[in-house]
Amino acid sequence: MIFVNFKTYRQSTGKWALVLADQIKRASDATKVAIIPVVQVSDIREIKDSIGLEVWAQKIDPVSFGAHTGAVLAESVKEDGASGVFLNHSEARFESDSDLEKAVLRAKEVGLKTLVFAGSIEDLEKFASFYPDFVAYEPPELIGNKETSVARAKPEIISQAVSLLKKFRIPLIVGAGISDVLDVKKSLELGAVGVAVASSVVLADNPFEKLKELAGGFY
Ligand code: G3P
Protein backbone atom coordinates (compact mmCIF):
# COMPACT_ATOMS: atom_id res chain seq x y z
CA MET A 1 0.00 0.00 0.00
CA ILE A 2 1.05 3.56 -0.66
CA PHE A 3 -0.08 6.44 1.52
CA VAL A 4 0.13 9.79 -0.25
CA ASN A 5 0.39 12.56 2.32
CA PHE A 6 -1.12 15.69 0.74
CA LYS A 7 0.29 17.92 3.55
CA THR A 8 -0.55 21.56 2.71
CA TYR A 9 1.09 21.88 -0.67
CA ARG A 10 -0.67 24.19 -3.12
CA GLN A 11 -0.75 21.23 -5.54
CA SER A 12 -2.80 19.19 -3.06
CA THR A 13 -5.16 21.77 -1.59
CA GLY A 14 -8.81 22.50 -2.45
CA LYS A 15 -9.59 22.01 -6.16
CA TRP A 16 -6.05 20.67 -6.72
CA ALA A 17 -6.64 18.05 -4.04
CA LEU A 18 -9.48 16.72 -6.19
CA VAL A 19 -7.30 16.62 -9.30
CA LEU A 20 -4.59 14.74 -7.41
CA ALA A 21 -7.09 12.33 -5.83
CA ASP A 22 -8.44 11.54 -9.29
CA GLN A 23 -4.92 10.64 -10.47
CA ILE A 24 -4.48 8.45 -7.39
CA LYS A 25 -7.72 6.64 -8.15
CA ARG A 26 -6.64 6.01 -11.75
CA ALA A 27 -3.17 4.83 -10.71
CA SER A 28 -4.63 2.54 -8.07
CA ASP A 29 -7.14 1.07 -10.55
CA ALA A 30 -4.44 0.59 -13.20
CA THR A 31 -1.91 -1.08 -10.89
CA LYS A 32 -4.25 -2.80 -8.38
CA VAL A 33 -2.05 -1.40 -5.59
CA ALA A 34 -3.93 0.28 -2.73
CA ILE A 35 -3.04 3.99 -2.85
CA ILE A 36 -4.57 6.08 -0.09
CA PRO A 37 -4.76 9.87 -0.15
CA VAL A 38 -4.19 11.45 3.26
CA VAL A 39 -5.76 14.86 2.95
CA GLN A 40 -6.51 18.09 4.78
CA VAL A 41 -9.72 17.81 6.82
CA SER A 42 -11.41 20.47 4.69
CA ASP A 43 -11.03 18.25 1.59
CA ILE A 44 -12.16 14.89 2.97
CA ARG A 45 -15.86 15.01 2.11
CA GLU A 46 -15.45 16.35 -1.41
CA ILE A 47 -12.83 13.78 -2.32
CA LYS A 48 -14.80 10.95 -0.79
CA ASP A 49 -18.03 12.01 -2.52
CA SER A 50 -16.63 12.81 -5.95
CA ILE A 51 -13.80 10.31 -6.37
CA GLY A 52 -15.19 7.50 -4.23
CA LEU A 53 -11.78 6.52 -2.93
CA GLU A 54 -10.69 5.49 0.57
CA VAL A 55 -9.53 8.73 2.20
CA TRP A 56 -7.59 9.33 5.41
CA ALA A 57 -7.20 12.48 7.51
CA GLN A 58 -3.84 14.00 8.43
CA LYS A 59 -4.68 14.31 12.13
CA ILE A 60 -7.29 14.47 14.83
CA ASP A 61 -7.00 15.97 18.30
CA PRO A 62 -7.30 14.00 21.54
CA VAL A 63 -10.62 15.60 22.49
CA SER A 64 -14.32 14.73 22.66
CA PHE A 65 -17.35 16.95 22.05
CA GLY A 66 -17.16 20.16 24.07
CA ALA A 67 -15.32 23.46 24.31
CA HIS A 68 -12.16 22.88 22.23
CA THR A 69 -11.91 25.75 19.76
CA GLY A 70 -9.98 24.84 16.63
CA ALA A 71 -9.67 21.17 17.48
CA VAL A 72 -10.31 18.40 14.93
CA LEU A 73 -12.80 15.86 16.28
CA ALA A 74 -12.58 12.17 15.44
CA GLU A 75 -16.36 12.20 14.95
CA SER A 76 -16.16 14.96 12.32
CA VAL A 77 -13.59 13.31 10.08
CA LYS A 78 -15.42 10.00 10.37
CA GLU A 79 -18.71 11.64 9.42
CA ASP A 80 -17.06 13.36 6.45
CA GLY A 81 -16.05 9.96 5.10
CA ALA A 82 -12.49 9.33 6.30
CA SER A 83 -11.55 5.70 6.95
CA GLY A 84 -8.41 6.39 8.90
CA VAL A 85 -6.10 8.97 10.35
CA PHE A 86 -2.38 9.74 10.60
CA LEU A 87 -1.24 10.49 14.13
CA ASN A 88 1.94 12.10 15.43
CA HIS A 89 3.50 12.93 12.08
CA SER A 90 6.71 14.86 12.78
CA GLU A 91 5.03 17.95 11.29
CA ALA A 92 1.98 17.49 13.55
CA ARG A 93 3.34 16.05 16.80
CA PHE A 94 1.32 15.67 19.96
CA GLU A 95 2.49 17.55 23.02
CA SER A 96 2.80 14.35 25.03
CA ASP A 97 2.68 10.60 24.60
CA SER A 98 -0.49 10.49 26.65
CA ASP A 99 -2.18 12.87 24.16
CA LEU A 100 -1.11 10.52 21.38
CA GLU A 101 -2.52 7.54 23.26
CA LYS A 102 -5.79 9.43 23.81
CA ALA A 103 -5.97 10.26 20.09
CA VAL A 104 -5.49 6.59 19.17
CA LEU A 105 -8.33 5.70 21.55
CA ARG A 106 -10.58 8.44 20.18
CA ALA A 107 -9.98 7.22 16.62
CA LYS A 108 -10.77 3.64 17.62
CA GLU A 109 -13.95 4.73 19.40
CA VAL A 110 -15.37 6.14 16.18
CA GLY A 111 -14.04 3.36 13.92
CA LEU A 112 -11.14 5.18 12.26
CA LYS A 113 -8.02 3.17 11.37
CA THR A 114 -4.81 4.60 12.78
CA LEU A 115 -1.23 5.02 11.63
CA VAL A 116 1.19 6.38 14.22
CA PHE A 117 4.52 7.88 13.20
CA ALA A 118 7.77 7.29 15.06
CA GLY A 119 11.15 8.81 14.29
CA SER A 120 13.22 6.40 16.38
CA ILE A 121 13.20 2.77 17.52
CA GLU A 122 12.52 3.86 21.11
CA ASP A 123 9.39 5.76 20.07
CA LEU A 124 8.34 2.97 17.77
CA GLU A 125 8.29 0.49 20.63
CA LYS A 126 6.48 2.90 22.94
CA PHE A 127 3.84 3.78 20.33
CA ALA A 128 3.29 0.16 19.31
CA SER A 129 2.01 -0.45 22.84
CA PHE A 130 -0.95 1.82 21.98
CA TYR A 131 -1.88 -0.77 19.32
CA PRO A 132 -2.53 1.40 16.25
CA ASP A 133 -3.32 -0.40 12.98
CA PHE A 134 0.04 0.64 11.49
CA VAL A 135 3.25 2.14 12.79
CA ALA A 136 5.34 4.23 10.40
CA TYR A 137 9.05 4.72 10.79
CA GLU A 138 9.88 8.12 9.34
CA PRO A 139 13.17 9.83 10.26
CA PRO A 140 12.26 13.56 10.14
CA GLU A 141 15.66 14.62 8.81
CA LEU A 142 15.07 12.64 5.60
CA ILE A 143 11.63 14.07 4.81
CA GLY A 144 11.66 15.74 1.39
CA ASN A 145 15.21 14.54 0.76
CA LYS A 146 16.01 14.30 -2.94
CA GLU A 147 19.37 12.57 -2.59
CA THR A 148 18.50 9.64 -0.35
CA SER A 149 15.61 7.92 1.37
CA VAL A 150 14.76 6.03 4.53
CA ALA A 151 15.20 2.77 2.56
CA ARG A 152 18.69 3.65 1.39
CA ALA A 153 19.95 5.47 4.49
CA LYS A 154 18.40 3.44 7.32
CA PRO A 155 17.96 -0.18 6.16
CA GLU A 156 19.15 -1.64 9.44
CA ILE A 157 16.62 0.39 11.42
CA ILE A 158 13.82 -0.73 9.13
CA SER A 159 14.76 -4.38 9.75
CA GLN A 160 14.94 -3.72 13.49
CA ALA A 161 11.53 -2.03 13.37
CA VAL A 162 9.98 -4.97 11.53
CA SER A 163 11.18 -7.51 14.07
CA LEU A 164 10.17 -5.31 16.99
CA LEU A 165 6.65 -4.85 15.61
CA LYS A 166 6.26 -8.60 15.06
CA LYS A 167 5.55 -9.18 18.72
CA PHE A 168 2.75 -6.62 18.56
CA ARG A 169 1.52 -8.00 15.19
CA ILE A 170 1.54 -4.48 13.78
CA PRO A 171 2.61 -3.89 10.15
CA LEU A 172 5.32 -1.34 9.37
CA ILE A 173 5.09 1.54 6.91
CA VAL A 174 8.20 3.53 6.05
CA GLY A 175 8.49 7.07 4.78
CA ALA A 176 10.87 9.96 4.09
CA GLY A 177 12.55 10.63 0.77
CA ILE A 178 10.84 7.73 -1.04
CA SER A 179 11.06 8.80 -4.66
CA ASP A 180 11.50 5.85 -6.98
CA VAL A 181 10.66 2.22 -7.55
CA LEU A 182 13.92 1.03 -5.98
CA ASP A 183 13.07 2.80 -2.72
CA VAL A 184 9.75 0.97 -2.65
CA LYS A 185 11.26 -2.41 -3.54
CA LYS A 186 13.96 -2.06 -0.90
CA SER A 187 11.41 -1.04 1.77
CA LEU A 188 9.30 -4.11 1.05
CA GLU A 189 12.31 -6.42 0.91
CA LEU A 190 13.27 -5.20 4.37
CA GLY A 191 9.82 -6.18 5.63
CA ALA A 192 7.67 -3.05 5.45
CA VAL A 193 4.15 -3.56 4.05
CA GLY A 194 3.98 -0.15 2.43
CA VAL A 195 5.35 3.36 2.09
CA ALA A 196 4.28 6.90 2.91
CA VAL A 197 5.18 9.49 0.29
CA ALA A 198 4.57 13.18 -0.25
CA SER A 199 6.89 15.43 -2.28
CA SER A 200 7.90 12.95 -4.98
CA VAL A 201 4.24 12.47 -5.91
CA VAL A 202 2.52 15.73 -4.98
CA LEU A 203 5.18 17.87 -6.67
CA ALA A 204 5.73 15.56 -9.66
CA ASP A 205 5.05 16.89 -13.17
CA ASN A 206 2.82 13.86 -13.63
CA PRO A 207 1.68 12.33 -10.31
CA PHE A 208 -0.23 9.58 -12.14
CA GLU A 209 2.94 8.34 -13.87
CA LYS A 210 5.03 8.70 -10.70
CA LEU A 211 2.50 6.61 -8.77
CA LYS A 212 2.49 3.94 -11.44
CA GLU A 213 6.28 3.83 -11.19
CA LEU A 214 6.19 3.53 -7.36
CA ALA A 215 3.47 0.87 -7.51
CA GLY A 216 5.87 -1.18 -9.68
CA GLY A 217 7.81 -1.85 -6.49
CA PHE A 218 5.01 -4.16 -5.34
CA TYR A 219 5.39 -6.58 -8.28
O1 G3P B 1 4.14 11.25 5.51
C1 G3P B 1 5.08 11.05 4.51
C2 G3P B 1 5.93 12.24 4.30
O2 G3P B 1 6.28 12.94 5.47
C3 G3P B 1 7.16 11.92 3.50
O3 G3P B 1 7.51 13.11 2.84
O4 G3P B 1 8.32 14.40 0.96
O5 G3P B 1 9.83 12.77 2.09
O6 G3P B 1 7.96 11.92 0.70
P1 G3P B 1 8.47 13.05 1.58
Side-chain angles (χ1 to χ4, degrees), residues 61-83:
D61 288 300
V63 298
S64 301
F65 291 111
H68 305 288
T69 305
V72 178
L73 265 181
E75 282 79 357
S76 310
V77 301
K78 177 71 179 171
E79 196 179 315
D80 270 6
S83 311

PDB file of all heavy atoms in Angstrom, residues 61-83:
ATOM      1  N   ASP A  61      -7.483  15.563  16.968  1.00  0.00           N
ATOM      2  CA  ASP A  61      -7.000  15.966  18.295  1.00  0.00           C
ATOM      3  C   ASP A  61      -7.555  15.010  19.346  1.00  0.00           C
ATOM      4  O   ASP A  61      -8.595  14.371  19.145  1.00  0.00           O
ATOM      5  CB  ASP A  61      -7.425  17.409  18.582  1.00  0.00           C
ATOM      6  CG  ASP A  61      -6.622  18.384  17.748  1.00  0.00           C
ATOM      7  OD1 ASP A  61      -5.384  18.399  17.899  1.00  0.00           O
ATOM      8  OD2 ASP A  61      -7.209  19.107  16.917  1.00  0.00           O
ATOM      9  N   PRO A  62      -6.881  14.960  20.496  1.00  0.00           N
ATOM     10  CA  PRO A  62      -7.304  13.998  21.536  1.00  0.00           C
ATOM     11  C   PRO A  62      -8.439  14.540  22.397  1.00  0.00           C
ATOM     12  O   PRO A  62      -8.339  14.573  23.618  1.00  0.00           O
ATOM     13  CB  PRO A  62      -6.019  13.815  22.358  1.00  0.00           C
ATOM     14  CG  PRO A  62      -5.302  15.113  22.212  1.00  0.00           C
ATOM     15  CD  PRO A  62      -5.652  15.667  20.871  1.00  0.00           C
ATOM     16  N   VAL A  63      -9.517  14.993  21.746  1.00  0.00           N
ATOM     17  CA  VAL A  63     -10.622  15.603  22.495  1.00  0.00           C
ATOM     18  C   VAL A  63     -11.951  14.957  22.097  1.00  0.00           C
ATOM     19  O   VAL A  63     -12.055  14.341  21.039  1.00  0.00           O
ATOM     20  CB  VAL A  63     -10.720  17.125  22.227  1.00  0.00           C
ATOM     21  CG1 VAL A  63      -9.458  17.842  22.681  1.00  0.00           C
ATOM     22  CG2 VAL A  63     -10.983  17.418  20.756  1.00  0.00           C
ATOM     23  N   SER A  64     -12.952  15.152  22.969  1.00  0.00           N
ATOM     24  CA  SER A  64     -14.318  14.726  22.657  1.00  0.00           C
ATOM     25  C   SER A  64     -15.156  15.976  22.453  1.00  0.00           C
ATOM     26  O   SER A  64     -14.651  17.087  22.561  1.00  0.00           O
ATOM     27  CB  SER A  64     -14.884  13.905  23.809  1.00  0.00           C
ATOM     28  OG  SER A  64     -14.062  12.781  24.028  1.00  0.00           O
ATOM     29  N   PHE A  65     -16.457  15.801  22.210  1.00  0.00           N
ATOM     30  CA  PHE A  65     -17.347  16.950  22.046  1.00  0.00           C
ATOM     31  C   PHE A  65     -17.192  17.907  23.232  1.00  0.00           C
ATOM     32  O   PHE A  65     -17.034  17.468  24.374  1.00  0.00           O
ATOM     33  CB  PHE A  65     -18.808  16.494  21.992  1.00  0.00           C
ATOM     34  CG  PHE A  65     -19.150  15.725  20.733  1.00  0.00           C
ATOM     35  CD1 PHE A  65     -19.440  14.376  20.781  1.00  0.00           C
ATOM     36  CD2 PHE A  65     -19.173  16.373  19.503  1.00  0.00           C
ATOM     37  CE1 PHE A  65     -19.758  13.672  19.625  1.00  0.00           C
ATOM     38  CE2 PHE A  65     -19.486  15.674  18.337  1.00  0.00           C
ATOM     39  CZ  PHE A  65     -19.771  14.322  18.400  1.00  0.00           C
ATOM     40  N   GLY A  66     -17.262  19.200  22.972  1.00  0.00           N
ATOM     41  CA  GLY A  66     -17.159  20.163  24.075  1.00  0.00           C
ATOM     42  C   GLY A  66     -16.487  21.442  23.627  1.00  0.00           C
ATOM     43  O   GLY A  66     -16.490  21.787  22.449  1.00  0.00           O
ATOM     44  N   ALA A  67     -15.904  22.148  24.585  1.00  0.00           N
ATOM     45  CA  ALA A  67     -15.320  23.462  24.310  1.00  0.00           C
ATOM     46  C   ALA A  67     -13.840  23.303  23.957  1.00  0.00           C
ATOM     47  O   ALA A  67     -12.978  23.350  24.834  1.00  0.00           O
ATOM     48  CB  ALA A  67     -15.508  24.360  25.537  1.00  0.00           C
ATOM     49  N   HIS A  68     -13.548  23.077  22.685  1.00  0.00           N
ATOM     50  CA  HIS A  68     -12.161  22.883  22.231  1.00  0.00           C
ATOM     51  C   HIS A  68     -11.977  23.623  20.911  1.00  0.00           C
ATOM     52  O   HIS A  68     -11.869  23.003  19.844  1.00  0.00           O
ATOM     53  CB  HIS A  68     -11.854  21.404  22.037  1.00  0.00           C
ATOM     54  CG  HIS A  68     -12.118  20.562  23.238  1.00  0.00           C
ATOM     55  ND1 HIS A  68     -11.324  20.601  24.368  1.00  0.00           N
ATOM     56  CD2 HIS A  68     -13.112  19.679  23.505  1.00  0.00           C
ATOM     57  CE1 HIS A  68     -11.812  19.769  25.274  1.00  0.00           C
ATOM     58  NE2 HIS A  68     -12.893  19.205  24.780  1.00  0.00           N
ATOM     59  N   THR A  69     -11.982  24.945  20.981  1.00  0.00           N
ATOM     60  CA  THR A  69     -11.906  25.752  19.763  1.00  0.00           C
ATOM     61  C   THR A  69     -10.734  25.338  18.877  1.00  0.00           C
ATOM     62  O   THR A  69      -9.604  25.210  19.351  1.00  0.00           O
ATOM     63  CB  THR A  69     -11.755  27.242  20.140  1.00  0.00           C
ATOM     64  OG1 THR A  69     -12.832  27.598  21.010  1.00  0.00           O
ATOM     65  CG2 THR A  69     -11.772  28.137  18.905  1.00  0.00           C
ATOM     66  N   GLY A  70     -11.036  25.131  17.616  1.00  0.00           N
ATOM     67  CA  GLY A  70      -9.980  24.836  16.635  1.00  0.00           C
ATOM     68  C   GLY A  70      -9.563  23.385  16.575  1.00  0.00           C
ATOM     69  O   GLY A  70      -8.770  23.009  15.702  1.00  0.00           O
ATOM     70  N   ALA A  71     -10.089  22.574  17.471  1.00  0.00           N
ATOM     71  CA  ALA A  71      -9.668  21.170  17.482  1.00  0.00           C
ATOM     72  C   ALA A  71     -10.358  20.386  16.360  1.00  0.00           C
ATOM     73  O   ALA A  71     -11.430  20.760  15.883  1.00  0.00           O
ATOM     74  CB  ALA A  71      -9.991  20.539  18.832  1.00  0.00           C
ATOM     75  N   VAL A  72      -9.723  19.292  15.942  1.00  0.00           N
ATOM     76  CA  VAL A  72     -10.310  18.404  14.932  1.00  0.00           C
ATOM     77  C   VAL A  72     -10.833  17.164  15.657  1.00  0.00           C
ATOM     78  O   VAL A  72     -10.082  16.422  16.283  1.00  0.00           O
ATOM     79  CB  VAL A  72      -9.252  17.995  13.883  1.00  0.00           C
ATOM     80  CG1 VAL A  72      -9.864  17.035  12.867  1.00  0.00           C
ATOM     81  CG2 VAL A  72      -8.678  19.223  13.181  1.00  0.00           C
ATOM     82  N   LEU A  73     -12.148  16.973  15.569  1.00  0.00           N
ATOM     83  CA  LEU A  73     -12.798  15.865  16.276  1.00  0.00           C
ATOM     84  C   LEU A  73     -12.768  14.582  15.454  1.00  0.00           C
ATOM     85  O   LEU A  73     -13.006  14.612  14.242  1.00  0.00           O
ATOM     86  CB  LEU A  73     -14.277  16.195  16.462  1.00  0.00           C
ATOM     87  CG  LEU A  73     -14.783  16.822  17.735  1.00  0.00           C
ATOM     88  CD1 LEU A  73     -16.296  17.011  17.620  1.00  0.00           C
ATOM     89  CD2 LEU A  73     -14.447  15.964  18.953  1.00  0.00           C
ATOM     90  N   ALA A  74     -12.525  13.468  16.116  1.00  0.00           N
ATOM     91  CA  ALA A  74     -12.584  12.165  15.443  1.00  0.00           C
ATOM     92  C   ALA A  74     -13.950  11.981  14.767  1.00  0.00           C
ATOM     93  O   ALA A  74     -14.039  11.520  13.628  1.00  0.00           O
ATOM     94  CB  ALA A  74     -12.352  11.051  16.471  1.00  0.00           C
ATOM     95  N   GLU A  75     -15.007  12.378  15.485  1.00  0.00           N
ATOM     96  CA  GLU A  75     -16.364  12.199  14.951  1.00  0.00           C
ATOM     97  C   GLU A  75     -16.546  12.943  13.630  1.00  0.00           C
ATOM     98  O   GLU A  75     -17.215  12.459  12.716  1.00  0.00           O
ATOM     99  CB  GLU A  75     -17.415  12.709  15.950  1.00  0.00           C
ATOM    100  CG  GLU A  75     -17.714  11.790  17.114  1.00  0.00           C
ATOM    101  CD  GLU A  75     -16.665  11.846  18.235  1.00  0.00           C
ATOM    102  OE1 GLU A  75     -15.651  12.570  18.088  1.00  0.00           O
ATOM    103  OE2 GLU A  75     -16.863  11.137  19.243  1.00  0.00           O
ATOM    104  N   SER A  76     -15.960  14.150  13.529  1.00  0.00           N
ATOM    105  CA  SER A  76     -16.159  14.965  12.320  1.00  0.00           C
ATOM    106  C   SER A  76     -15.505  14.337  11.105  1.00  0.00           C
ATOM    107  O   SER A  76     -16.099  14.293  10.028  1.00  0.00           O
ATOM    108  CB  SER A  76     -15.573  16.367  12.500  1.00  0.00           C
ATOM    109  OG  SER A  76     -16.012  16.922  13.692  1.00  0.00           O
ATOM    110  N   VAL A  77     -14.253  13.870  11.265  1.00  0.00           N
ATOM    111  CA  VAL A  77     -13.591  13.307  10.085  1.00  0.00           C
ATOM    112  C   VAL A  77     -14.240  11.983   9.684  1.00  0.00           C
ATOM    113  O   VAL A  77     -14.356  11.677   8.502  1.00  0.00           O
ATOM    114  CB  VAL A  77     -12.056  13.162  10.262  1.00  0.00           C
ATOM    115  CG1 VAL A  77     -11.406  14.483  10.550  1.00  0.00           C
ATOM    116  CG2 VAL A  77     -11.677  12.176  11.294  1.00  0.00           C
ATOM    117  N   LYS A  78     -14.714  11.254  10.671  1.00  0.00           N
ATOM    118  CA  LYS A  78     -15.419  10.002  10.368  1.00  0.00           C
ATOM    119  C   LYS A  78     -16.703  10.316   9.587  1.00  0.00           C
ATOM    120  O   LYS A  78     -17.002   9.699   8.563  1.00  0.00           O
ATOM    121  CB  LYS A  78     -15.735   9.272  11.680  1.00  0.00           C
ATOM    122  CG  LYS A  78     -16.517   8.001  11.517  1.00  0.00           C
ATOM    123  CD  LYS A  78     -15.689   6.903  10.903  1.00  0.00           C
ATOM    124  CE  LYS A  78     -16.499   5.621  10.775  1.00  0.00           C
ATOM    125  NZ  LYS A  78     -15.813   4.607   9.996  1.00  0.00           N
ATOM    126  N   GLU A  79     -17.450  11.291  10.081  1.00  0.00           N
ATOM    127  CA  GLU A  79     -18.712  11.640   9.423  1.00  0.00           C
ATOM    128  C   GLU A  79     -18.483  12.165   8.004  1.00  0.00           C
ATOM    129  O   GLU A  79     -19.297  11.958   7.110  1.00  0.00           O
ATOM    130  CB  GLU A  79     -19.458  12.680  10.263  1.00  0.00           C
ATOM    131  CG  GLU A  79     -20.905  12.811   9.885  1.00  0.00           C
ATOM    132  CD  GLU A  79     -21.617  13.838  10.742  1.00  0.00           C
ATOM    133  OE1 GLU A  79     -21.421  13.812  11.981  1.00  0.00           O
ATOM    134  OE2 GLU A  79     -22.341  14.669  10.172  1.00  0.00           O
ATOM    135  N   ASP A  80     -17.361  12.840   7.789  1.00  0.00           N
ATOM    136  CA  ASP A  80     -17.056  13.361   6.450  1.00  0.00           C
ATOM    137  C   ASP A  80     -16.635  12.266   5.483  1.00  0.00           C
ATOM    138  O   ASP A  80     -16.523  12.505   4.282  1.00  0.00           O
ATOM    139  CB  ASP A  80     -15.941  14.420   6.531  1.00  0.00           C
ATOM    140  CG  ASP A  80     -16.514  15.811   6.743  1.00  0.00           C
ATOM    141  OD1 ASP A  80     -17.733  15.929   6.929  1.00  0.00           O
ATOM    142  OD2 ASP A  80     -15.731  16.786   6.698  1.00  0.00           O
ATOM    143  N   GLY A  81     -16.348  11.078   6.004  1.00  0.00           N
ATOM    144  CA  GLY A  81     -16.049   9.963   5.097  1.00  0.00           C
ATOM    145  C   GLY A  81     -14.651   9.400   5.202  1.00  0.00           C
ATOM    146  O   GLY A  81     -14.275   8.530   4.408  1.00  0.00           O
ATOM    147  N   ALA A  82     -13.843   9.887   6.153  1.00  0.00           N
ATOM    148  CA  ALA A  82     -12.491   9.333   6.296  1.00  0.00           C
ATOM    149  C   ALA A  82     -12.572   7.913   6.860  1.00  0.00           C
ATOM    150  O   ALA A  82     -13.440   7.594   7.671  1.00  0.00           O
ATOM    151  CB  ALA A  82     -11.652  10.211   7.220  1.00  0.00           C
ATOM    152  N   SER A  83     -11.626   7.065   6.417  1.00  0.00           N
ATOM    153  CA  SER A  83     -11.552   5.697   6.952  1.00  0.00           C
ATOM    154  C   SER A  83     -10.470   5.573   7.997  1.00  0.00           C
ATOM    155  O   SER A  83     -10.445   4.610   8.754  1.00  0.00           O
ATOM    156  CB  SER A  83     -11.183   4.702   5.846  1.00  0.00           C
ATOM    157  OG  SER A  83     -11.961   4.879   4.729  1.00  0.00           O
TER     158      SER A  83
END
